[in-house]
Amino acid sequence: MQHDFYLAWRYLRHNKARSLILIVCLGVIIALPLALHRVLDEAERRMSARAEATPLLVGARGSAADLVLNALYFTESPAFIGMGEVDRIAATGWADPLPVYARFRVRGLPLVGVTMDYFEFRDLALAEGDLPALLGDCVLGAEAGRRLRLAPGDTLPTTPENVFDLAGVHPLKLNVTGILAKTHTPDDQAVFVDLQTAWVIEGLGHGHETNPRAGRADSPFAPASGDGVAYTEITPDNLASFHFHGDPAGFPISAVIAVPRDARASALLRGRYLDDDARTQIVRPSEVTRSLLQNIFRIGALFDAILLPLGIAALLMTVLVFALSLRLRQREIETIHLIGCSPMTVIRLVAAEIVLIACSAGALGWVLLQAVGVGAAEFVRHFVIA
């Protein structure tokens, strides 16, 4: 048997191209379905963990999935609610409300308006610098800081919603005060500001330029300009002049994270949102995420159904390659017979080649699976969660 494997090994080495093609094809076929399920398992684990850490969400009535994705992953929000909803939840005494306003993007990254309680709720620690303390300050997630190549003390102009709207609100020049430590969550890719700063970006608040000759506040704050781009900048000199017009209860937010005191408070608060005609809804992110994951697993089952016939076709092709190879090696087989070997010897040689190729393909599949296991978390963050 040892000699059979030696001769088979020498034959495979002599035909390197054919052997490598067979090994790679079989290795990928073995690894592909297992790698797919490993990625799905990682996506389920990460999405479930963030949803389980968020007890309740209140937002505009409509798609519960859109509400959860916006509040947890900072995707585009289809509708907004008023800040008065925060006061309504706080007035019940059953839960602590944490408003989230994820509407804008800056250089492709989500710009999220939150209160200081959000950082404590998500256990977001600072890697360097400080949390936002003044109007116009921002703190960057770890990945946002790396991609934008900014550090505390730098500035970050926001991106106008419509570059063709010349009469619209000018970009706001944000002051970067800190970089958050990496958490491997969507918070890593966000730029956080306080709610008031987010409302200034939206144009709900503005400052007034002080005319030193008149000694009083002049007409609305004029944007500064630099490098040919006009923007609004909040400085210690004009900070006190910034103010908002209108009822703060009507200022927009995209969702409210409600953290109930206990199970009874959670049930009572959910009871406040049973009216189907109300403009707001309350959802459990864990339940919504579970429903989303069920759809993802249906896609996984669909992939399995597609991969099964592909795998069978690939195996049949492999059998065909071996059959054609045996026909091409007819003279070689006749030589083996002429030197006194039995037909069983030929069968043993072919079997040894198949075993060596199968073992090599299995080893390659294992290596591919390990590589997917190492990169699955990053893949999920970039292509599933982000």
Side-chain angles (χ1 to χ4, degrees):
M1 182 62 73
Q2 182 179 357
H3 301 296
D4 297 336
F5 277 101
Y6 176 76
L7 291 174
W9 166 247
R10 297 296 299 179
Y11 176 79
L12 294 176
R13 282 197 60 183
H14 182 71
N15 297 277
K16 292 178 184 176
R18 193 206 69 154
S19 303
L20 283 175
I21 291 173
L22 281 174
I23 290 170
V24 170
C25 290
L26 290 175
V28 171
I29 291 171
I30 293 171
L32 194 57
L34 298 175
L36 175 64
H37 283 280
R38 183 162 292 187
V39 170
L40 291 177
D41 291 344
E42 181 67 21
E44 179 188 15
R45 188 180 70 81
R46 289 189 172 275
M47 293 181 71
S48 298
R50 190 164 176 86
E52 293 290 345
T54 309
L56 296 171
L57 273 180
V58 177
R61 184 166 292 279
S63 169
D66 287 343
L67 172 61
V68 171
L69 291 175
N70 172 263
L72 271 61
Y73 303 101
F74 312 133
T75 60
E76 185 177 353
S77 176
F80 303 97
I81 59 176
M83 187 64 183
E85 199 63 35
V86 176
D87 300 330
R88 180 187 175 194
I89 296 173
T92 64
W94 295 329
D96 295 325
L98 305 175
V100 176
Y101 190 29
R103 173 180 178 178
F104 302 102
R105 305 190 80 80
V106 52
R107 297 191 192 178
L109 299 173
L111 190 148
V112 186
V114 295
T115 60
M116 292 300 105
D117 293 335
Y118 181 86
F119 299 102
E120 181 180 356
F121 173 69
R122 293 291 189 202
D123 290 328
L124 300 177
L126 282 165
E128 54 180 316
D130 300 299
L131 291 175
L134 299 174
L135 199 66
D137 289 349
C138 72
V139 62
L140 309 180
E143 182 65 18
R146 186 191 67 79
R147 289 176 58 179
L148 298 174
R149 299 180 180 178
L150 295 176
D154 293 337
T155 57
L156 173 64
T158 60
T159 306
E161 285 189 286
N162 187 352
V163 296
F164 300 105
D165 184 10
L166 300 179
V169 180
H170 289 281
L172 178 64
K173 192 173 185 179
L174 299 172
N175 301 310
V176 179
T177 61
I179 307 292
L180 297 173
K182 202 173 185 64
T183 59
H184 301 289
T185 67
D187 295 323
D188 288 343
Q189 302 188 6
V191 177
F192 292 101
V193 297
D194 62 18
L195 284 174
Q196 287 74 21
T197 300
W199 292 332
V200 169
I201 294 171
E202 185 159 1
L204 297 175
H206 63 265
H208 291 267
E209 186 179 30
T210 301
N211 187 337
R213 290 175 299 180
R216 59 181 177 79
D218 210 344
S219 58
F221 177 66
S225 63
D227 299 332
V229 178
Y231 56 83
T232 302
E233 183 175 9
I234 301 174
T235 66
D237 295 333
N238 62 31
L239 176 62
S241 71
F242 272 82
H243 58 279
F244 298 89
H245 293 281
D247 182 7
F251 289 178
I253 55 175
S254 49
V256 183
I257 298 173
V259 185
R261 315 286 187 196
D262 49 34
R264 177 178 176 275
S266 175
L268 290 171
L269 185 62
R270 296 181 68 191
R272 288 290 184 94
Y273 293 88
L274 294 179
D275 185 2
D276 293 335
D277 296 328
R279 300 178 62 182
T280 55
Q281 64 174 335
I282 189 168
V283 299
R284 282 182 170 173
S286 57
E287 294 177 352
V288 177
T289 302
R290 197 174 301 120
S291 175
L292 286 173
L293 290 174
Q294 286 175 353
N295 291 328
I296 292 176
F297 286 128
R298 287 195 192 100
I299 296 174
L302 176 63
F303 275 115
D304 287 342
I306 295 173
L307 289 174
L308 181 61
L310 287 178
I312 293 174
L315 289 176
L316 291 175
M317 286 292 293
T318 304
V319 172
L320 179 63
V321 168
F322 272 101
L324 293 175
S325 175
L326 287 177
R327 291 181 65 87
L328 293 174
R329 296 167 62 186
Q330 195 60 41
R331 292 183 59 187
E332 178 187 341
I333 293 172
E334 291 175 356
T335 302
I336 293 174
H337 289 161
L338 290 174
I339 61 176
C341 296
S342 64
M344 185 56 67
T345 302
V346 176
I347 295 175
R348 290 206 310 269
L349 287 173
V350 174
E353 290 176 16
I354 294 174
V355 170
L356 286 176
I357 288 176
C359 290
S360 301
L364 176 62
W366 182 83
V367 171
L368 292 176
L369 271 181
Q370 297 307 309
V372 170
V374 172
E378 198 65 25
F379 180 87
V380 168
R381 278 197 297 273
H382 280 282
F383 296 100
V384 180
I385 294 178

